[in-house]
Amino acid sequence: MTKPRAWQRMLSGRRLDLLDPTPMDIEVADLARGLAFVARWNGQTEGDYAYSVAEHSLLVERLFTEMNPLESPKWRLAALLHDGPEYVIGDMISPVKAAIGPGYADLDSRLTAAIHLRFGLPASLPLAIKTQIKKADRLSAWAEATHIAGFSRKEADTLFGRPDPALSALAEIKLRPPGEVRRDFEARCATLMQEMDAHNHG
């Protein structure tokens, strides 16, 4: 019996095996394009454009940097790439992840490790950094929920935690064309990689 296909061809020409992903098969352009076209909240958001995972990732990195101004560029890059696997597996809302079970988490962790290694990050992040990225991620989710996804503040506070008012003011939600977001994501990735390189050789 023939095994089902478990790879995806990218526009760069790379062929990414989802069951055995390697850093060599991950390209910035593919990642940025995929994330710019993946809608958060299953597309159930206001406005003429979907709120993409790429836009969310840019916001999470900005919030992480604001909350942790002394952290090195590599951890800011980790914040930018925190939802990297979604460029091939999409953005599944939490209830769907729960329904799928541990198989989703395994797939996500394999892809995360390959993406991290491609960008010079450790396959698994230190717990303290993961915790800080998660704080920024939850703040972004709270802002998205209340500004464009139809949640009341009370509901969002219950699901994502009540944010610090000073920080929530920084969580600006933008709705932009995918091409624009893709270019910004690529540019930010390049900047952080340059800063990381300079930091490592400084």
Side-chain angles (χ1 to χ4, degrees), residues 16-96:
L16 183 68
D17 185 338
L18 301 187
L19 299 180
D20 187 24
T22 69
M24 289 179 61
D25 290 323
I26 291 161
E27 296 287 347
V28 177
D30 294 332
L31 190 74
R33 173 174 288 277
L35 294 180
F37 281 99
V38 174
R40 296 263 297 165
W41 307 96
N42 278 353
Q44 296 301 308
T45 51
E46 298 171 4
D48 294 330
Y49 296 105
Y51 190 75
S52 72
V53 174
E55 192 78 84
H56 163 79
S57 299
L58 287 163
L59 178 55
V60 168
E61 189 265 320
R62 283 198 300 276
L63 293 170
F64 173 83
T65 300
E66 190 70 33
M67 295 157 74
N68 305 276
L70 300 180
E71 283 298 351
S72 70
K74 74 176 180 180
W75 302 136
R76 299 205 301 271
L77 182 60
L80 182 70
L81 298 171
H82 78 284
D83 278 338
E86 294 179 8
Y87 90 109
V88 284
I89 57 177
D91 177 36
M92 291 190 190
I93 58 174
S94 297
V96 175

Side-chain angles (χ1 to χ4, degrees), residues 34 36 38 44 84 102 130 134 150 170:
V38 174
Q44 296 301 308
K130 285 176 78 168
K134 191 63 186 174
L170 299 172

Side-chain angles (χ1 to χ4, degrees), residues 175-187:
L175 295 170
R176 302 186 291 160
E180 188 179 322
V181 181
R182 172 175 56 83
R183 287 188 292 273
D184 278 2
F185 185 95
E186 281 194 58

Side-chain angles (χ1 to χ4, degrees), residues 75-157:
W75 302 136
R76 299 205 301 271
L77 182 60
L80 182 70
L81 298 171
H82 78 284
D83 278 338
E86 294 179 8
Y87 90 109
V88 284
I89 57 177
D91 177 36
M92 291 190 190
I93 58 174
S94 297
V96 175
K97 290 178 185 176
I100 291 173
Y104 178 88
D106 291 344
L107 180 60
D108 185 85
S109 63
R110 280 197 298 271
L111 285 163
T112 295
I115 291 167
H116 282 179
L117 293 173
R118 163 66 179 83
F119 288 95
L121 299 169
S124 183
L125 300 180
L127 181 58
I129 296 300
K130 285 176 78 168
T131 300
Q132 289 304 312
I133 291 173
K134 191 63 186 174
K135 283 183 183 176
D137 189 30
R138 288 172 71 85
L139 175 53
S140 179
W142 181 92
E144 295 162 34
T146 56
H147 287 95
I148 56 173
F151 287 66
S152 69
R153 286 187 171 235
K154 183 179 179 183
E155 198 173 18
D157 287 351

